[in-house]
């Protein structure tokens, strides 16, 4: 590891100069007048890590992560963020360790379905009757590492009795998106059935190129930055889109989605010649089904806003509205707006009680007429006969870098669902960890003020 101690002594000069092992006769050899020496340039000095930290981080020989390994990773990331420049991250987490972690996590994520089924009822090891775990649902965290570390401590780590579901947006805006994402991947590898990571709209090539994550990776890993960034993009493609918890709660980053009708061609037979009818007319839009969601192609760098594969973009980018029906989300340029009647239809059709989504922070909500603000980190957006729709946002004092003189100072929040019914959301609010370590932003936050506006669709991948 390339960490230096607080006080490093300079190397001692050699006792004498030699050439090919021959000592020159100083009396016969004319000696030049001594030239004034410029003082050596000072070397940057970094604090030594505490003895309890094991640095650099290593990958276990058997590939099996432990609680001790994950806890050490959390402590190392926290210490590194406060004491080292960002470019020193490879001395803490070497590229080879990154490669091992993201490879194992990507394999797990790509094997999961688009909509993961989460069963909190687990067989008891000592008893025939099953026990039920509580479920913690977390919204956007946006690279705010220290707030995530607090959240994990406050809610309690993932365990046999506690399942976590993260609703996406791990990166961008905040300065520690890479550490945040990798930490959650480590938890996933360690406890794959106790933590579920869903995709957010910022887990995409377009958003990460605009809102800081791509530059963050390049700064931290230098000449290996492109390699690390590409691996992260590949992992993003494997993140599931939604979850069903205990058969009664639907969670996704944005929310609901449209139906994409598949019409068999009259002239040809076979799957390759099916016609896919995509209607953008708000008068004929209809809600999609969980079956359609299960068949959507999520392995795209950027969810398309046109063409047949619209469901991923809807799930990641859509927003609730107080107006009835479905409509194109013109504010964002992608996804939908859906009203309380659509929430009722979806809940009733699948016998659900609750929808938990994220996607909207205080900056987005202040522009939404008729919807509550995000000051407390959550809102209850629809209350209908069959249940509720809520939004949860877990990044307090967001965004980390604000161009406005007055900060939002919003709280973050997470949701706890308790057995046996899991349909009564308990909100836990928390404030930002202060002071945050001083660091520069990785995007022009004065120009790029709001991710909800001026989406450059032309630059997004449509394949």
């Amino acid at each position: 590891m390339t960490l230096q101690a607080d006080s490093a002594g300079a190397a001692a000069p050699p006792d004498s100069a030699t050439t090919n092992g021959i000592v020159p006769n100083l009396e016969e050899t004319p000696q030049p007048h001594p030239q004034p020496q410029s003082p050596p340039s000072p070397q940057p000095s970094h604090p030594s890590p505490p003895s309890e930290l094991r640095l650099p981080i290593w990958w276990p020989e058997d590939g099996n992560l432990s609680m001790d390994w994950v806890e050490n990773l959390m402590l190392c990331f926290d210490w590194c963020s406060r004491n080292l420049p960002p470019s020193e991250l490879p001395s803490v987490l070497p590229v080879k360790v990154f490669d091992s972690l993201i490879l194992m996590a990507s394999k797990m994520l790509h094997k999961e379905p688009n909509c993961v089924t989460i069963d909190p009822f687990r067989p008891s090891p000592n008893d025939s009757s099953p026990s039920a775990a509580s479920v913690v649902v977390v919204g956007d965290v946006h690279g705010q590492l220290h707030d995530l570390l607090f959240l994990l401590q406050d809610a309690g780590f993932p365990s046999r009795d506690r399942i976590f579901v993260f609703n996406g947006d791990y990166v961008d805006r905040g300065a520690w998106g890479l550490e945040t994402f990798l930490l959650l991947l480590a938890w996933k590898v360690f406890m794959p059935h106790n933590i579920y990571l869903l995709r957010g709209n910022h887990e995409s090539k377009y958003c990460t190129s605009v809102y800081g994550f791509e530059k963050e990776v390049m700064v931290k890993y230098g000449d290996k930055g492109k390699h690390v960034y590409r691996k992260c993009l590949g992992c993003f493609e494997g993140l599931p889109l939604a979850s069903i918890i205990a058969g009664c709660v639907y969670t996704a980053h944005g929310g609901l989605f449209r139906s994409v009708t598949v019409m068999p061609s009259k002239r040809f037979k076979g799957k390759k010649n099916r016609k896919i009818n995509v209607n953008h007319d708000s008068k004929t839009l209809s809600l999609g089904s969980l079956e359609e969601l299960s068949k959507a192609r999520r392995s795209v760098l950027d969810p398309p806003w046109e063409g047949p594969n619209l469901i991923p973009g809807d799930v990641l980018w859509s927003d609730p509205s107080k107006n009835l029906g479905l409509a194109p989300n013109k504010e964002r340029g992608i996804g939908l707006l859906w009203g309380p009647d659509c929430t009722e239809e979806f809940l009733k059709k699948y016998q659900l009680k609750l929808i938990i989504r994220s996607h909207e922070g205080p900056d987005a909500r202040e522009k939404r007429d008729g919807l509550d603000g995000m000051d407390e980190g959550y809102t209850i957006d629809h209350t209908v006969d069959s249940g509720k729709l809520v939004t949860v946002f877990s990044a307090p004092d967001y965004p980390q870098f604000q161009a406005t003189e007055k900060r939002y100072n919003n709280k973050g929040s997470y949701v706890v669902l308790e057995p046996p019914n899991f349909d009564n959301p308990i909100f836990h609010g928390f404030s930002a960890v202060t002071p945050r370590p001083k660091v520069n932003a990785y995007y022009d936050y004065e120009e790029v003020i709001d991710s909800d506006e001026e989406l450059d669709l032309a630059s997004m991948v449509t394949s």
Side-chain angles (χ1 to χ4, degrees):
M1 185 175 62
T2 58
L3 302 180
Q4 298 183 5
D6 291 329
S7 57
D15 293 332
S16 61
T18 64
T19 305
N20 297 326
I22 302 174
V23 180
N25 187 334
L26 298 181
E27 295 181 357
E28 298 178 358
T29 306
Q31 298 298 307
H33 294 289
Q35 298 294 321
Q37 298 292 320
S38 58
S41 57
Q43 296 296 316
S45 178
H46 306 307
S48 297
S51 58
E52 62 267 23
L53 297 186
R54 294 183 295 281
L55 295 174
I57 296 164
W58 76 103
W59 188 253
E61 291 184 5
D62 59 3
N64 295 321
L65 300 188
S66 64
M67 186 66 184
D68 182 63
W69 194 95
V70 176
E71 286 186 325
N72 182 63
L73 181 70
M74 291 192 293
L75 292 171
C76 289
F77 278 169
D78 186 25
W79 180 85
C80 177
S81 70
R82 299 178 185 278
N83 294 280
L84 299 181
S87 59
E88 288 288 334
L89 183 59
S91 67
V92 174
L93 186 77
V95 175
K96 287 185 178 180
V97 179
F98 163 85
D99 285 342
S100 297
L101 174 59
I102 204 156
L103 175 63
M104 187 169 286
S106 292
K107 286 181 178 179
M108 288 182 176
L109 294 167
H110 278 275
K111 289 179 181 178
E112 292 182 335
N114 286 346
C115 184
V116 293
T117 299
I118 301 172
D119 184 5
F121 295 95
R122 308 289 175 83
S124 177
N126 301 321
D127 191 83
S128 58
S129 61
S131 60
S134 61
V135 181
V136 179
V137 183
V138 182
D140 306 39
V141 291
H142 279 295
Q144 297 183 192
L145 173 68
H146 310 90
D147 299 319
L148 171 63
L149 293 174
F150 173 83
L151 186 156
L152 290 169
Q153 292 277 358
D154 192 57
F157 291 156
S159 67
R160 176 181 177 80
D161 299 323
R162 188 177 299 106
I163 299 170
F164 276 77
V165 180
F166 285 82
N167 260 355
D169 275 13
Y170 314 108
V171 303
D172 282 340
R173 299 297 188 93
W176 302 279
L178 184 58
E179 292 91 332
T180 296
F181 185 54
L182 295 179
L183 173 58
L184 292 176
L185 291 185
W187 275 109
K188 178 66 178 177
V189 170
F190 173 47
M191 306 190 75
H193 303 297
N194 292 81
I195 179 169
Y196 294 88
L197 305 178
L198 307 184
R199 189 172 181 176
N201 65 300
H202 277 263
E203 279 71 60
S204 66
K205 189 175 188 297
Y206 168 76
C207 282
T208 54
S209 68
V210 175
Y211 299 103
F213 181 68
E214 180 181 14
K215 183 178 179 182
E216 175 192 343
V217 173
M218 298 303 294
V219 168
K220 289 178 178 177
Y221 275 90
D223 59 353
K224 294 292 185 180
K226 288 185 178 180
H227 166 81
V228 172
Y229 180 60
R230 283 195 301 266
K231 292 292 185 181
C232 288
L233 290 180
C235 193
F236 292 165
E237 288 187 303
L239 292 166
L241 300 175
S243 78
I244 299 287
I245 302 170
C248 64
V249 181
Y250 169 83
T251 84
H253 182 70
L256 300 187
F257 50 94
R258 77 191 79 195
S259 175
V260 179
T261 306
V262 179
M263 302 176 61
S265 172
K266 294 181 179 180
R267 294 185 180 182
F268 303 100
K269 296 181 179 181
K271 184 176 179 180
K272 291 184 178 179
N273 294 306
R274 291 184 302 174
K275 287 184 178 179
I276 299 178
N277 181 26
V278 180
N279 197 325
H280 299 278
D281 187 349
S282 61
K283 294 181 180 179
T284 57
L285 284 171
S286 60
L287 272 181
S289 67
L290 290 179
E291 181 182 7
E292 288 177 290
L293 174 59
S294 70
K295 296 177 180 178
R297 186 165 66 92
R298 76 177 192 254
S299 292
V300 291
L301 290 175
D302 290 298
W305 77 96
E306 61 183 5
N309 192 32
L310 293 175
I311 288 178
D314 286 350
V315 174
L316 301 185
W317 283 90
S318 294
D319 296 301
S321 170
K322 293 297 185 182
N323 299 323
L324 298 179
L326 286 174
N329 197 333
K330 295 179 181 179
E331 180 77 9
R332 295 189 186 272
I334 185 173
L336 302 171
L337 295 172
W338 81 90
D341 56 329
C342 299
T343 295
E344 170 63 19
E345 178 185 340
F346 190 80
L347 292 175
K348 186 175 182 180
K349 181 177 181 179
Y350 295 106
Q351 298 181 322
L352 303 171
K353 298 295 184 182
L354 182 63
I355 297 173
I356 304 177
R357 46 90 64 176
S358 302
H359 191 37
E360 291 183 285
D363 53 344
R365 270 302 170 95
E366 71 176 0
K367 302 178 178 65
R368 302 291 308 283
D369 293 336
L371 293 176
D372 293 335
M374 201 52 64
D375 295 345
E376 297 301 316
Y378 74 92
T379 57
I380 299 174
D381 302 315
H382 295 161
T383 301
V384 294
D385 291 342
S386 296
K388 294 177 181 178
L389 162 72
V390 304
T391 297
V392 60
F393 193 79
S394 303
D397 191 23
Y398 172 87
Q400 179 181 347
F401 303 99
Q402 294 185 23
T404 56
E405 184 176 345
K406 184 179 179 181
R407 299 185 66 84
Y408 290 104
N409 286 320
N410 63 291
K411 287 184 178 180
S413 185
Y414 59 90
V415 178
V416 176
L417 305 173
E418 296 284 2
N421 297 324
F422 298 97
D423 57 359
N424 181 33
I426 304 170
F427 298 96
H428 292 255
F430 61 99
S431 299
V433 174
T434 56
R436 286 176 174 145
K438 292 183 179 180
V439 66
N440 294 325
Y442 294 106
Y443 70 108
D444 189 347
Y445 62 92
E446 293 184 351
E447 291 294 327
V448 184
I449 295 178
D450 190 353
S451 61
D452 301 310
E453 296 179 347
E454 299 179 359
L455 183 64
D456 185 6
L457 297 176
S459 70
M460 294 174 67
V461 178
T462 59
S463 60

